[in-house]
Amino acid sequence: MTTSSASRAAGKPAQPVALSRLLDQVAQALQAIRAGQSGTGLLQAVPAALRPGVQALLFQVLRNLGRAQALRAQLAPKAPAPRVDALLCTALALAWNEAQAPYAPFTLVNQAVEAAKRGPAARQAGFINACLRRFLRERDALVALTDADPQARWNHPRWWIERLQREYPAQWQQILEANNAHAPMALRVHARKSTPAQYLSALQAVHLEATVFGAHGVQLAKPQPVDALPGFAEGVVSVQDGAAQLAAPLLLHGLDLSRPLQVLDACAAPGGKTAHLLELGGEALQVTALEVDAQRAERIHHTLARVGAQAKVLVADAGQPAQWWQQANGGQKFDAILLDAPCTASGIVRRHPDVRWLRRESDVAQLAAIQTQLLDTLWPLVQPGGRLLYCTCSVFKAEGDAQVKAFLARNTDATHQPSPGHLIPGTTPIRDALPDNGAGDHDGFFYALFTKAL
């Protein structure tokens, strides 16, 4: 049995037994995601030897799940048991488009049936075999029957597609196409340790291709393990998407760094933006980093230690300042606050393809309410003449433009400063975004900078 060159290049096991085991792991993960579990946590639980192959296959399944579900409905109109359905959809998502299939479709079908025989779906192995063999015989006709289904065409929930059509009538297709693509690997060069041009030379010395973007960014031609990156352990570079690299410069631009400044990173984990603030501001900044989850707060410590920076890291809820304000800086107001608020993560779907299937439409309003509460809680903690940068990794207007309009209506002492607004994923500028889209091939983000009247 042979495999494609793509599967060999990705390091996927070529043996049939190994592939059936991978497909079983992927189907388990898909079933858990459908039950509401995060793909990130599920992958961490996969045995280390299998994890790269499982992640590669799972991400492809999630990027093609709308099509797979439509095909399964054609093959079996009555939904089978969750485990059986997950295995069927796993095979269909990987095999429906032969040009993109990581293995030959007949190989995927054979090994999916083998996985069924060896797992808890063994009693349904014959049913799975019959469905998938029919798919192989009638693939073109079955695919054509699903082409008119928006969820199959765009591989997003119908409500998500319809929301983007309303909010971005000219760009909704671009956003969905970007979401289904592979995200590039972007790096942030430590401003006090190197420059993008210097780091490009270091990459060339180890035969890694890359391009420079923005003030501190480098984008790799192909993703690499961080251990392969020159200077990563020493903090010369950090992995950070181009859109996220805009936060620290936006917050610090124009501030007087000749005197100590009190800065709050309100929702800081895993610490990338905290580190970037300290890389740019240096000793002038006295940064407090908040994170409500203790385990995630530990990641901030690790991030800062690697780049050689220090901040006051507190495990606390940014929305409850009575719990932490005195400890942060003696109850004094802040010169600058970065609020990277909890959101739907609708802008980072290409990095986390499970998000589209985990979210419900009601989540948008619920998260927008949390964002409103955080804005209203933190704004009084800004010094007169100080500033607050609000950002989300979302493309939905309820978490961006609508928040800005409502915030300004509630706070007459706030002025909306020039800032990117909505950055849609990919490379094309939109409306009042930065002229060159600011960050190359970036994730979807939203930025709004407010200053407080003296």
Side-chain angles (χ1 to χ4, degrees):
M1 187 174 294
T2 60
T3 64
S4 69
S5 59
S7 63
R8 292 193 295 271
K12 300 189 187 81
Q15 296 301 315
V17 174
L19 178 53
S20 66
R21 188 178 178 194
L22 288 178
L23 294 175
D24 181 61
Q25 290 278 336
V26 172
Q28 288 184 53
L30 176 58
Q31 183 181 352
I33 289 168
R34 285 172 156 176
Q37 295 187 46
S38 165
T40 301
L42 291 166
L43 286 168
Q44 289 174 349
V46 173
L50 299 179
R51 196 175 301 145
V54 170
Q55 176 172 313
L57 292 175
L58 177 61
F59 278 21
Q60 186 164 347
V61 167
L62 293 168
R63 291 184 177 115
N64 290 278
L65 186 57
R67 178 72 69 169
Q69 291 176 158
L71 288 168
R72 196 277 298 152
Q74 292 291 330
L75 295 164
K78 182 180 178 181
R83 186 58 172 273
V84 174
D85 192 31
L87 189 51
L88 275 173
C89 286
T90 292
L92 293 167
L94 296 172
W96 81 272
N97 184 341
E98 188 167 12
Q100 297 177 1
Y103 301 88
F106 74 87
T107 300
L108 288 163
V109 168
N110 286 340
Q111 294 309 299
V113 174
E114 193 66 27
K117 291 177 180 177
R118 297 171 181 269
R123 295 179 64 181
Q124 295 294 314
F127 169 75
I128 292 172
N129 182 60
C131 288
L132 294 179
R133 297 296 170 188
R134 180 189 166 200
F135 165 74
L136 288 180
R137 293 193 306 270
E138 304 175 21
R139 180 174 54 191
D140 292 346
L142 289 167
V143 169
L145 285 172
T146 63
D147 280 341
D149 181 346
Q151 289 193 166
R153 169 66 179 85
W154 297 107
N155 289 294
H156 284 68
R158 186 179 297 272
W159 71 264
W160 192 304
I161 299 169
E162 292 174 349
R163 193 176 193 107
L164 291 179
Q165 287 173 333
R166 292 193 305 270
E167 297 183 358
Y168 296 93
Q171 294 93 6
W172 67 272
Q173 293 184 357
Q174 177 190 334
I175 295 172
L176 293 172
E177 287 171 353
N179 286 352
N180 287 327
H182 293 264
M185 187 171 181
L187 308 176
R188 184 189 75 244
V189 180
H190 195 308
R192 296 172 184 265
K193 295 185 177 183
S194 186
T195 67
Q198 290 170 343
Y199 193 71
L200 207 61
S201 297
L203 289 172
Q204 290 169 349
V206 293
H207 309 293
L208 294 179
E209 296 181 22
T211 54
V212 172
F213 68 86
H216 308 288
V218 171
Q219 183 169 302
L220 298 175
K222 296 181 180 178
Q224 301 292 331
V226 293
D227 294 343
L229 301 177
F232 181 83
E234 296 76 25
V236 177
V237 292
S238 300
V239 178
Q240 188 180 43
D241 181 74
Q245 291 186 33
L246 297 176
L250 280 167
L251 185 64
L252 298 181
H253 179 70
L255 286 179
D256 180 5
L257 298 180
S258 66
R259 63 182 182 87
L261 297 174
Q262 293 287 341
V263 178
L264 175 69
D265 189 348
C267 304
K273 297 181 182 68
T274 309
H276 197 190
L277 285 167
L278 291 162
E279 290 169 16
L280 296 180
E283 297 178 358
L285 302 189
Q286 298 175 7
V287 177
T288 299
L290 300 180
E291 175 51 48
V292 69
D293 182 89
Q295 287 187 327
R296 285 174 54 80
E298 278 300 309
R299 294 182 63 189
I300 303 174
H301 287 291
H302 295 318
T303 298
L304 295 179
R306 187 179 57 80
V307 302
Q310 291 184 331
K312 186 179 293 183
V313 180
L314 302 179
V315 179
D317 182 351
Q320 303 292 330
Q323 300 175 1
W324 53 264
W325 192 17
Q326 286 292 332
Q327 188 179 359
N329 62 346
Q332 298 298 308
K333 294 187 176 183
F334 294 95
D335 297 288
I337 293 178
L338 171 59
L339 173 55
D340 185 1
C343 70
T344 58
S346 58
I348 57 173
V349 173
R350 59 185 185 169
R351 297 185 191 279
H352 300 279
D354 57 325
V355 166
R356 73 190 87 180
W357 306 115
L358 289 169
R359 290 290 180 221
R360 300 293 178 265
E361 187 166 18
S362 59
D363 293 341
V364 181
Q366 292 172 3
L367 286 159
I370 293 172
Q371 296 152 12
T372 298
Q373 188 263 334
L374 286 170
L375 280 166
D376 288 347
T377 298
L378 295 175
W379 183 245
L381 307 186
V382 178
Q383 291 271 19
R387 58 185 61 182
L388 182 150
L389 179 64
Y390 168 75
C391 60
T392 63
C393 53
S394 175
V395 296
F396 294 146
K397 298 295 183 71
E399 302 179 280
D401 280 350
Q403 283 287 6
V404 169
K405 293 174 183 176
F407 177 80
L408 293 172
R410 295 192 305 272
N411 296 278
T412 57
D413 60 345
T415 300
H416 187 197
Q417 299 293 340
S419 39
H422 282 285
L423 291 168
I424 62 174
T427 57
T428 302
I430 181 172
R431 205 159 49 82
D432 56 348
L434 298 184
D436 61 351
N437 219 12
D441 189 4
H442 57 67
D443 290 340
F445 247 77
F446 177 82
Y447 284 105
L449 179 65
F450 306 103
T451 54
K452 179 175 281 190
L454 291 168

